[in-house]
Amino acid sequence: KYGISVNGSQIGLSLHKGGNHPDFKGDKGLHRAVYSFMPHNCGFGARAVIHPSYMLNIPHIVSDGIFEAEALVKTDKANIIVESVKACEDEDKAFIIRLYEAEGSRTTGTVTFGSCVKKFVQTNMLEEALGSAVDASSVRMQFRPFEIKTIKAYY
């Protein structure tokens, strides 16, 4: 999904493409898709395109009541996106944070952790440590265009 093309004045949108091998029934049945045209009068950027796209694809869940929570992780640059947080595969008291640079630009920003994080270490994509764990509540990180970084956070 999410395939687009532009040819002259025509825009093409592929909402779904399913494989048929090894499961020839894998793309059969009802598929739901949401899409949106979002005109904007500025260039491509995280605030203009990426953040609203996340709002469309991952809508907020609204319920009655009051809930306050500290952010688990946040960044000071709009183009450094916290893409996922997941349980660590090989340690009980750790979780993995994946971030990426979304605008195609070199960026240096600060990643700040919530108070539950006691220490962290940057890892490769296989979650293997690239150094020693550091006791700190934030870290300055440099990103190349579209670079993905992985952090193992201990609590």
Side-chain angles (χ1 to χ4, degrees):
K1 60 184 189 177
Y2 303 122
I4 61 168
S5 62
V6 177
N7 186 3
S9 62
Q10 293 184 334
I11 298 175
L13 175 64
S14 298
L15 295 178
H16 179 75
K17 184 217 177 283
N20 58 11
H21 183 76
D23 181 5
F24 69 93
K25 294 182 181 180
D27 64 348
K28 305 289 188 228
L30 180 65
H31 299 277
R32 297 178 192 270
V34 173
Y35 65 93
S36 176
F37 291 101
M38 189 181 62
H40 54 284
N41 60 3
C42 57
F44 173 83
R47 283 194 172 91
V49 178
I50 302 296
H51 291 216
S53 298
Y54 274 93
M55 297 297 289
L56 176 68
N57 285 321
I58 308 169
H60 290 229
I61 298 171
V62 180
S63 64
D64 292 333
I66 296 172
F67 179 78
E68 294 181 21
E70 176 186 28
L72 187 61
V73 61
K74 58 187 173 183
T75 67
D76 68 339
K77 301 288 182 165
N79 61 320
I80 299 175
I81 306 294
V82 177
E83 175 61 28
S84 62
V85 177
K86 70 176 199 79
C88 183
E89 297 289 333
D90 60 354
E91 296 200 38
D92 289 338
K93 293 211 166 244
F95 57 92
I96 300 298
I97 302 164
R98 288 236 165 79
L99 309 103
Y100 74 98
E101 192 290 316
E103 291 180 347
S105 61
R106 293 188 176 274
T107 303
T108 299
T110 301
V111 178
T112 304
F113 305 102
S115 61
C116 72
V117 174
K118 304 303 180 208
K119 61 183 180 176
F120 67 89
V121 64
Q122 189 170 340
T123 72
N124 61 20
M125 293 292 282
L126 298 174
E127 302 174 14
E128 300 165 334
L130 298 177
S132 299
V134 177
D135 289 328
S137 60
S138 65
V139 60
R140 294 278 292 164
M141 299 183 86
Q142 294 181 344
F143 286 81
R144 293 186 312 269
F146 303 112
E147 183 178 13
I148 300 168
K149 291 200 181 265
T150 305
I151 295 172
K152 183 186 289 188
Y154 299 87
Y155 58 91

